[in-house]
Structure formats: C-alpha cells, structure tokens
Amino acid sequence: MNIFSLLQRLSSFQIIVLSFAFLIGTGTLLLMTPWATQNGQGAALLTACFTAVSASCVTGLTVVDTATYWSSFGQLVILLLIQVGGLGVVTMAVAITVGMGQHVSLMQRSTMQDAISAQQIGGIVRMLRFVLKFTAGTELLGACLLWPHFARDYGWLQGIWMAIFHSVSAFCNAGFDLMSSRGGGSLMAYAGDPLVNLTIMGLIVAGGLGFLTWADFSVNRLHWRKWTFQTRIILLMTALLVAVPALLFFTQEPISGWQALFQSVTTRTAGFNTMDIETLSEGSRCIMIILMLTGGAPGSTAGGIKTTTAFALFMTMVSVLRMRGDVECQSRRIPTETVRHALAIFVMYLFLFFGASIAIGYLDRAPMIDAMVEVSSALGTVGLSIGLTEKLSPLSQIMLMFLMYFGRVGALTMIYALHKRKKAVPCRLPEGRLTVG
C-alpha cells in the first residue's frame, strides 16, 4: 500500500494529527544536526524534540536559551516550524499545490476546511489565498515597524533578522524570542517602548482573532450589523479578556499601564513578557492560568479551549439560571451540539490540566501553583514560564510536550481522529433519571 492509498483511507482529522507529528519529527532531526547549535555538536534528542514540539505547536516553552544555544541555522529552523505550525501543515501543503498550478482535490479541500475551522467547503481555495496574503502582509508590516528599534540596538543587519523573527513569532502566537540576557529576558528591555509594545500586541491580537474573523472584516468592513454571529462574539470576548485582566494586573501589581496591558494580551495566546512574571502574586498567577486556558479564537494561531467555547459555556449557565430551555444570545439560539462540544472540550482540558499539574508537582516536588502555570502554558500553547520548565525531569518535559501537541491540534480534532463518525442509530434508549446539583 503506497502513501497515497493510505492518505485516502484517513479522515481529514487524522491527516491533521499526523501532519503535525510529521512536522515535529522533521524539526527534531534538523535540530539534532551539528549545524543547528552554536557548539557544532547538535542538540540532544530530548532538547531537539522539546524545541521542535514547542515551535511547531507555536507555544514558546524552552529548555535552552534560543539566542545563545542555537546557531543561525537552528534559529531559521525554529522560525520555519513556527510559521508552518502557526498556519497549519495542511494549509501550507495546499498552498504549495495551488502555487504549482495543480488541482486541489476534494480531500484536500475537506482537510483544509477542518484545519481552519471553516463552516463550508465552498470557496476554500479563495480563503487559502486570503490567509496567505493576510499573513504575509501583517508579518511584513510588523517587521517594518520593529526594525528601526532593533537596528538601533543590534545593528541594521541583525536588526532585520530580529524584526522578522519576532514579527512571525508574535503573529503566530509562538512567544519565541532572541533577546537572551541582553534583552532582559523576552521583551523586558522594551517595557517602556510604546511602538514595540503596540506592534507586538497588535500582531498577537491579529493572529489570535482567527482568519475567519478577518475574512468577515474584509467583506463587510466596519458594517458591524453584517458581521457573522461568531465574529461579534469573538470580538466581544477578546475585548473583555484584554480589558478586565489588564485592570486587575494594574491594581494588584506594582507595574506600569503598558506592562499590565501587554501582560493581559500576551498571557492568553502568545508568551512574550515585559515584566518578571516570577514576581507576580498568586492571585495574578491564577488570572494568568485562566487566560492561558481560555486562549484565542477558533481557526487562529492561538490555542486554549477558545473564546467561543468559553462564551458557549457561560451562556449555558445564564440560560439555566434564567430557566430557559435554549441557550440564547443576540437573538440567536446556540445549537445543543455546540454546547455539548464546548462542555466536552472544557472537561477534557480540566482533566489534563489538573492531572498533569498534580503529576509534575509530585515528580519534581514543585509548588502546585508553579506546576499549574507551566501546565496551563503548555496546554494553552502560550509559552510563558516562571523558570520551571528547564528544571523539570525528562518525564515531566515529555508530559509538557504531549500537552503542547494536544493544545495545538485541538480537542475535537483529536476526538474525531480517534473515532470515525458513525451513522446515528434510529432508536433511543429509555431515560435514566439523575439528580444533579
């Protein structure tokens, strides 16, 4: 059986799961080559694999310093993994097919639809072209805005590389940086720089809103009444999840307004920081955990349970409190299947979050709040760390790798990949009465 016959037997969800595994394997092999490290000896298997998983799953957790450990070739490999992982392996594969002028098969269109969470298969190639143009344009704009500041500090040639790397990393919500100790750790050296702050935050939000949201904008512009129901919910949740945590960070911690706003934006999806998060209080760390687990919008470069999932769960609670039979919002009814999916995703994330936190706390004798921060960062593909990841045992690091992979692929994708859809049985079992609450 050749590879094409095998692919035809796989569902689109199985192809998505395997494509990320293939990307991680390829990245691991490249990072183990002698050209990938500064010392010319190549990285150890665990180090290379962890970095490849983190980059491919656009997380940003690291076990070595990206700027000083990896060579220019190694950093280029990481950048390519971030770009391909952010857009999706399937998206890039279909883009190559279109670029070569070949016909896009129905299987490729269906897989592409599932990869970007499109609601219909019609116009999927046109959507692909929009995704590529929007990504290239946004990342180029971000690099142009960052270059003058990085050129001032690192020289014009190195500044170009720094600007491109951080623009791609920010748009893809990866959180990898090349600052090392010179930058004070991540972007702490630019905590008071409005342009760098606004550019990075803008790139993070742009990647986290999702391509479907931007496609809606491109068609309907600022005519908000014409926006889809999903677009309006994503914008509402994004605004709330930026403004409220920023206010809480500002009132709880001795930090500037820029730092509070940046931390609110980056915590939910990206992984950069302009302040030392190891000094945050436990209350602020709990806020971080909630934001990291929530994540960005569906069909975006962000991870987490997604803002729409959190909204569906919240409105379900509201409907129960109001004694309503349906979950309703803005003159719309949220389908029961959507609510069931949201509940399943939420419960899965809770099991993984608490299970991994307890396991890491036990294996490495780490404080539970610290373990919870690292686990939520991996599961939400965020990348913020309080300095615990590189100190963990190999078994704990492997757990974090699985969480990053799960968080990037997505809960529903993983479920559908393991179980092919079956036809509904034309009968229903008798009800079993169960008292809850």
Side-chain angles (χ1 to χ4, degrees), residues 78-402:
I78 293 173
L79 182 64
L80 292 175
L81 292 175
I82 291 172
Q83 186 71 88
V84 177
L87 294 180
V89 186
V90 173
T91 302
M92 297 303 295
V94 177
I96 294 173
T97 302
V98 174
M100 295 175 63
Q102 297 182 2
H103 175 70
V104 181
S105 67
L106 182 60
M107 182 189 74
Q108 290 175 314
R109 293 171 188 264
S110 176
T111 306
M112 176 74 184
Q113 176 192 6
D114 293 326
I116 64 174
S117 301
Q119 296 180 352
Q120 59 185 19
I121 198 171
I124 201 69
V125 175
R126 184 170 61 254
M127 181 66 185
L128 169 65
R129 293 193 178 96
F130 171 81
V131 169
L132 296 178
K133 290 178 181 178
F134 178 76
T135 300
T138 305
E139 291 177 348
L140 179 60
L141 176 61
C144 291
L145 292 174
L146 292 173
W147 178 72
H149 293 254
F150 291 156
R152 176 194 63 198
D153 299 332
Y154 296 92
W156 72 271
L157 186 59
Q158 181 67 11
I160 293 175
W161 171 240
M162 297 282 286
I164 293 174
F165 188 97
H166 290 89
S167 180
V168 174
S169 182
F171 178 77
C172 292
N173 285 206
F176 276 86
D177 69 88
L178 300 178
M179 297 299 175
S180 190
S181 57
R182 182 174 179 179
S186 192
L187 298 175
M188 289 176 61
Y190 298 92
D193 191 321
L195 182 60
V196 172
N197 276 257
L198 287 173
T199 301
I200 296 295
M201 285 190 291
L203 290 167
I204 293 171
V205 172
L209 283 178
F211 297 114
L212 298 179
T213 304
W214 288 109
D216 195 7
F217 287 160
S218 69
V219 174
N220 298 309
R221 306 297 178 181
L222 297 179
H223 302 291
W224 64 271
R225 292 183 182 276
K226 296 181 180 180
W227 293 346
T228 64
F229 176 66
Q230 176 167 298
T231 296
R232 294 197 296 268
I233 296 306
I234 288 173
L235 291 177
L236 173 64
M237 291 295 292
T238 300
L240 289 175
L241 291 173
V242 169
V244 175
L247 180 62
L248 293 176
F249 284 135
F250 183 71
T251 56
Q252 291 187 24
E253 305 293 336
I255 57 178
S256 66
W258 279 117
Q259 289 176 308
L261 182 61
F262 190 93
Q263 195 62 33
S264 178
V265 171
T266 191
T267 300
R268 195 161 45 85
T269 54
F272 294 104
N273 60 280
T274 57
M275 57 174 293
D276 186 2
I277 63 174
E278 294 184 34
T279 63
L280 291 177
S281 63
E282 288 196 356
S284 294
R285 293 187 185 189
C286 289
I287 296 173
M288 285 177 53
I289 290 171
I290 295 173
L291 291 175
M292 289 190 288
L293 290 177
T294 302
S300 70
T301 58
I305 66 172
K306 302 295 187 295
T307 52
T308 49
T309 302
F311 177 82
L313 292 173
F314 177 78
M315 293 310 301
T316 301
M317 179 192 70
V318 171
S319 69
V320 172
L321 294 177
R322 297 177 63 188
M323 303 294 288
R324 295 290 182 87
D326 294 324
V327 181
E328 301 170 342
C329 178
Q330 297 185 3
S331 302
R332 293 291 187 274
R333 175 177 56 84
I334 300 178
T336 302
E337 184 181 13
T338 301
V339 175
R340 292 176 62 218
H341 286 171
L343 182 59
I345 292 170
F346 180 68
V347 173
M348 287 179 67
Y349 267 76
L350 281 186
F351 271 118
L352 289 173
F353 169 65
F354 284 111
S357 298
I358 293 171
I360 290 176
Y362 175 78
L363 290 173
D364 294 271
R365 298 295 186 268
M368 184 54 60
I369 188 67
D370 292 352
M372 292 170 73
V373 170
E374 301 294 308
V375 167
S376 59
S377 181
L379 189 56
T381 68
V382 177
L384 283 174
S385 174
I386 54 175
L388 182 62
T389 297
E390 60 268 25
K391 302 175 185 178
L392 295 177
S393 62
L395 182 57
S396 294
Q397 291 180 356
I398 291 173
M399 275 194 287
L400 290 183
M401 284 192 286
F402 169 77

